[in-house]
PDB file of all heavy atoms in Angstrom:
ATOM      1  N   LEU A 263      10.696  60.655   4.740  1.00 97.00           N
ATOM      2  CA  LEU A 263       9.828  61.769   4.358  1.00 97.00           C
ATOM      3  C   LEU A 263       8.679  61.243   3.510  1.00 97.00           C
ATOM      4  O   LEU A 263       8.896  60.525   2.540  1.00 97.00           O
ATOM      5  CB  LEU A 263      10.621  62.797   3.554  1.00 97.00           C
ATOM      6  CG  LEU A 263      11.935  63.323   4.164  1.00 97.00           C
ATOM      7  CD1 LEU A 263      12.569  64.351   3.235  1.00 97.00           C
ATOM      8  CD2 LEU A 263      11.699  63.921   5.523  1.00 97.00           C
ATOM      9  N   VAL A 264       7.460  61.647   3.875  1.00 98.00           N
ATOM     10  CA  VAL A 264       6.282  61.191   3.151  1.00 98.00           C
ATOM     11  C   VAL A 264       5.440  62.421   2.806  1.00 98.00           C
ATOM     12  O   VAL A 264       4.901  63.075   3.697  1.00 98.00           O
ATOM     13  CB  VAL A 264       5.446  60.190   3.962  1.00 98.00           C
ATOM     14  CG1 VAL A 264       4.254  59.711   3.138  1.00 98.00           C
ATOM     15  CG2 VAL A 264       6.304  59.008   4.397  1.00 98.00           C
ATOM     16  N   PHE A 265       5.316  62.716   1.520  1.00 98.00           N
ATOM     17  CA  PHE A 265       4.566  63.911   1.098  1.00 98.00           C
ATOM     18  C   PHE A 265       3.085  63.744   1.380  1.00 98.00           C
ATOM     19  O   PHE A 265       2.492  62.681   1.167  1.00 98.00           O
ATOM     20  CB  PHE A 265       4.763  64.184  -0.394  1.00 98.00           C
ATOM     21  CG  PHE A 265       3.906  65.328  -0.902  1.00 98.00           C
ATOM     22  CD1 PHE A 265       4.273  66.631  -0.704  1.00 98.00           C
ATOM     23  CD2 PHE A 265       2.699  65.055  -1.541  1.00 98.00           C
ATOM     24  CE1 PHE A 265       3.466  67.674  -1.130  1.00 98.00           C
ATOM     25  CE2 PHE A 265       1.885  66.089  -1.981  1.00 98.00           C
ATOM     26  CZ  PHE A 265       2.273  67.405  -1.778  1.00 98.00           C
ATOM     27  N   GLY A 266       2.457  64.838   1.827  1.00 98.00           N
ATOM     28  CA  GLY A 266       1.019  64.874   1.993  1.00 98.00           C
ATOM     29  C   GLY A 266       0.477  66.241   1.663  1.00 98.00           C
ATOM     30  O   GLY A 266       0.984  67.261   2.158  1.00 98.00           O
ATOM     31  N   SER A 267      -0.524  66.324   0.804  1.00 98.00           N
ATOM     32  CA  SER A 267      -1.103  67.615   0.444  1.00 98.00           C
ATOM     33  C   SER A 267      -2.143  68.072   1.447  1.00 98.00           C
ATOM     34  O   SER A 267      -2.526  69.247   1.466  1.00 98.00           O
ATOM     35  CB  SER A 267      -1.729  67.549  -0.950  1.00 98.00           C
ATOM     36  OG  SER A 267      -2.754  66.591  -1.014  1.00 98.00           O
ATOM     37  N   ASP A 268      -2.623  67.138   2.294  1.00 98.00           N
ATOM     38  CA  ASP A 268      -3.654  67.479   3.277  1.00 98.00           C
ATOM     39  C   ASP A 268      -4.878  68.064   2.598  1.00 98.00           C
ATOM     40  O   ASP A 268      -5.534  68.968   3.141  1.00 98.00           O
ATOM     41  CB  ASP A 268      -3.083  68.443   4.324  1.00 98.00           C
ATOM     42  CG  ASP A 268      -3.799  68.372   5.671  1.00 98.00           C
ATOM     43  OD1 ASP A 268      -4.869  67.741   5.742  1.00 98.00           O
ATOM     44  OD2 ASP A 268      -3.287  68.967   6.640  1.00 98.00           O
ATOM     45  N   ALA A 269      -5.170  67.566   1.409  1.00 98.00           N
ATOM     46  CA  ALA A 269      -6.273  68.114   0.613  1.00 98.00           C
ATOM     47  C   ALA A 269      -7.609  67.781   1.254  1.00 98.00           C
ATOM     48  O   ALA A 269      -7.874  66.637   1.621  1.00 98.00           O
ATOM     49  CB  ALA A 269      -6.223  67.559  -0.802  1.00 98.00           C
ATOM     50  N   HIS A 270      -8.459  68.798   1.354  1.00 97.00           N
ATOM     51  CA  HIS A 270      -9.830  68.622   1.814  1.00 97.00           C
ATOM     52  C   HIS A 270     -10.818  68.797   0.661  1.00 97.00           C
ATOM     53  O   HIS A 270     -12.035  68.775   0.847  1.00 97.00           O
ATOM     54  CB  HIS A 270     -10.170  69.601   2.927  1.00 97.00           C
ATOM     55  CG  HIS A 270      -9.550  69.255   4.255  1.00 97.00           C
ATOM     56  ND1 HIS A 270      -8.181  69.296   4.474  1.00 97.00           N
ATOM     57  CD2 HIS A 270     -10.103  68.865   5.424  1.00 97.00           C
ATOM     58  CE1 HIS A 270      -7.945  68.952   5.728  1.00 97.00           C
ATOM     59  NE2 HIS A 270      -9.088  68.682   6.329  1.00 97.00           N
ATOM     60  N   ARG A 271     -10.284  69.011  -0.546  1.00 97.00           N
ATOM     61  CA  ARG A 271     -11.075  69.075  -1.762  1.00 97.00           C
ATOM     62  C   ARG A 271     -10.161  68.652  -2.907  1.00 97.00           C
ATOM     63  O   ARG A 271      -8.939  68.784  -2.822  1.00 97.00           O
ATOM     64  CB  ARG A 271     -11.640  70.471  -2.001  1.00 97.00           C
ATOM     65  CG  ARG A 271     -10.576  71.565  -2.032  1.00 97.00           C
ATOM     66  CD  ARG A 271     -11.194  72.944  -2.231  1.00 97.00           C
ATOM     67  NE  ARG A 271     -10.152  73.959  -2.314  1.00 97.00           N
ATOM     68  CZ  ARG A 271     -10.374  75.219  -2.634  1.00 97.00           C
ATOM     69  NH1 ARG A 271     -11.607  75.631  -2.905  1.00 97.00           N
ATOM     70  NH2 ARG A 271      -9.390  76.098  -2.671  1.00 97.00           N
ATOM     71  N   ALA A 272     -10.736  68.120  -3.958  1.00 97.00           N
ATOM     72  CA  ALA A 272      -9.932  67.595  -5.062  1.00 97.00           C
ATOM     73  C   ALA A 272      -9.034  68.665  -5.680  1.00 97.00           C
ATOM     74  O   ALA A 272      -7.918  68.374  -6.120  1.00 97.00           O
ATOM     75  CB  ALA A 272     -10.849  66.975  -6.112  1.00 97.00           C
ATOM     76  N   GLU A 273      -9.518  69.883  -5.702  1.00 96.00           N
ATOM     77  CA  GLU A 273      -8.745  70.985  -6.280  1.00 96.00           C
ATOM     78  C   GLU A 273      -7.367  71.146  -5.618  1.00 96.00           C
ATOM     79  O   GLU A 273      -6.394  71.544  -6.256  1.00 96.00           O
ATOM     80  CB  GLU A 273      -9.534  72.285  -6.153  1.00 96.00           C
ATOM     81  CG  GLU A 273      -8.848  73.520  -6.737  1.00 96.00           C
ATOM     82  CD  GLU A 273      -9.677  74.778  -6.535  1.00 96.00           C
ATOM     83  OE1 GLU A 273     -10.867  74.669  -6.185  1.00 96.00           O
ATOM     84  OE2 GLU A 273      -9.124  75.870  -6.744  1.00 96.00           O
ATOM     85  N   ASP A 274      -7.279  70.830  -4.322  1.00 97.00           N
ATOM     86  CA  ASP A 274      -6.040  71.027  -3.582  1.00 97.00           C
ATOM     87  C   ASP A 274      -5.133  69.808  -3.560  1.00 97.00           C
ATOM     88  O   ASP A 274      -4.067  69.827  -2.960  1.00 97.00           O
ATOM     89  CB  ASP A 274      -6.361  71.431  -2.136  1.00 97.00           C
ATOM     90  CG  ASP A 274      -7.029  72.799  -2.063  1.00 97.00           C
ATOM     91  OD1 ASP A 274      -6.865  73.590  -3.009  1.00 97.00           O
ATOM     92  OD2 ASP A 274      -7.753  73.040  -1.082  1.00 97.00           O
ATOM     93  N   LEU A 275      -5.545  68.732  -4.185  1.00 97.00           N
ATOM     94  CA  LEU A 275      -4.743  67.520  -4.201  1.00 97.00           C
ATOM     95  C   LEU A 275      -3.380  67.789  -4.842  1.00 97.00           C
ATOM     96  O   LEU A 275      -3.288  68.439  -5.898  1.00 97.00           O
ATOM     97  CB  LEU A 275      -5.491  66.427  -4.975  1.00 97.00           C
ATOM     98  CG  LEU A 275      -4.919  65.019  -4.857  1.00 97.00           C
ATOM     99  CD1 LEU A 275      -5.103  64.493  -3.438  1.00 97.00           C
ATOM    100  CD2 LEU A 275      -5.610  64.093  -5.862  1.00 97.00           C
TER     101      LEU A 275
END
Side-chain angles (χ1 to χ4, degrees):
L263 308 180
V264 182
F265 174 80
S267 60
D268 205 348
H270 285 67
R271 55 182 182 172
E273 181 182 346
D274 294 336
L275 192 67

